[in-house]
Amino acid sequence: SAVISQKPSRDICQRGTSLTIQCQVDSQVTMMFWYRQQPGQSLTLIATANQGSEATYESGFVIDKFPISRPNLTFSTLTVSNMSPEDSSIYLCSVAKLAGEPQETQYFGPGTRLLVL
Amino acid sequence: AQSVSQHNHHVILSEAASLELGCNYSYGGTVNLFWYVQYPGQHLQLLLKYFSGDPLVKGIKGFEAEFIKSKFSFNLRKPSVQWSDTAEYFCAVNGNSGYSTLTFGKGTMLLVSP
């Protein structure tokens, strides 16, 4: 597996502001993803972070609201822009295709718990 | 579109009771299947996975799951639960050919009373 860290672990933000969440992996991975887990709900994929190109967004998520960067094979950021209380959620980074792993198992970071007032 | 259905949102058991959590999926092709667990205050961890071969897979902490293709099911079992198994359990599926999106069920909250 991989060791995945996220910063910040939690934050309280005012509506209208933006927050950037960082995801760092201790080894190179092919694929990185960002998920949202709203209170009492399951995980929903926001986007696939592609290294060197624009992220691939799922239906209902757009780049202007959730810009993503992936400058290399071990790091990605997700920004939650122009936040509203509806964005209060846990945001999780996950990775797949670790070196030596031929199949697509995803491993998850600890999450960033966001509260928007 | 693929989907995952978990039968129970909450399950309450006493210690030493047997556990079976239901998971059914809908997907138009061969699948990879996963169970993840989220202990209170901890992050999501992989419990077990099925890609191919023996449909009965064993995971960590005494858990196992059986893939029944004809029933589109991947139920999670444990013969004797412990208080420390209190957690939320998520079933997930993705396609087996190339890469496809991982789709999660809504989760089952298991509470084991001592």
Side-chain angles (χ1 to χ4, degrees), chain B residues 36-57:
Chain B
Y36 287 86
V37 60
Q38 191 167 29
Y39 297 102
Q42 297 189 26
H43 65 277
L44 208 60
Q45 301 172 38
L46 181 67
L47 198 55
L48 49 79
K49 60 187 177 183
Y50 171 80
F51 289 112
S52 64
D54 188 345
L56 184 63
V57 292

Side-chain angles (χ1 to χ4, degrees), chain A residues 19-45:
Chain A
L19 176 72
T20 295
I21 303 167
Q22 298 179 1
C23 177
Q24 179 76 54
V25 192
D26 68 341
S27 56
Q28 293 188 340
V29 296
T30 304
M31 309 194 76
M32 296 182 78
F33 309 91
W34 288 98
Y35 287 81
R36 182 173 71 184
Q37 186 179 19
Q38 293 182 301
Q41 302 293 317
S42 187
L43 284 79
T44 301
L45 180 65

Side-chain angles (χ1 to χ4, degrees), chain A residues 2-110:
Chain A
V3 177
I4 307 166
S5 60
Q6 286 186 232
K7 290 181 182 179
S9 59
R10 58 181 65 225
D11 207 343
I12 301 173
C13 300
Q14 297 296 320
R15 69 171 68 211
T17 63
S18 298
L19 176 72
T20 295
I21 303 167
Q22 298 179 1
C23 177
Q24 179 76 54
V25 192
D26 68 341
S27 56
Q28 293 188 340
V29 296
T30 304
M31 309 194 76
M32 296 182 78
F33 309 91
W34 288 98
Y35 287 81
R36 182 173 71 184
Q37 186 179 19
Q38 293 182 301
Q41 302 293 317
S42 187
L43 284 79
T44 301
L45 180 65
I46 297 171
T48 302
N50 301 309
Q51 195 241 338
S53 65
E54 196 170 282
T56 305
Y57 289 85
E58 297 300 305
S59 176
F61 297 97
V62 295
I63 187 171
D64 289 346
K65 176 67 176 176
F66 297 102
I68 287 170
S69 78
R70 186 164 176 207
N72 57 50
L73 292 176
T74 63
F75 185 79
S76 178
T77 67
L78 168 75
T79 299
V80 186
S81 303
N82 188 24
M83 288 184 284
S84 67
E86 292 72 35
D87 294 319
S88 298
S89 187
I90 299 172
Y91 292 86
L92 297 116
C93 168
S94 79
V95 304
K97 291 264 190 171
L98 280 65
E101 275 208 22
Q103 291 166 315
E104 293 144 356
T105 302
Q106 288 190 30
Y107 298 96
F108 286 81

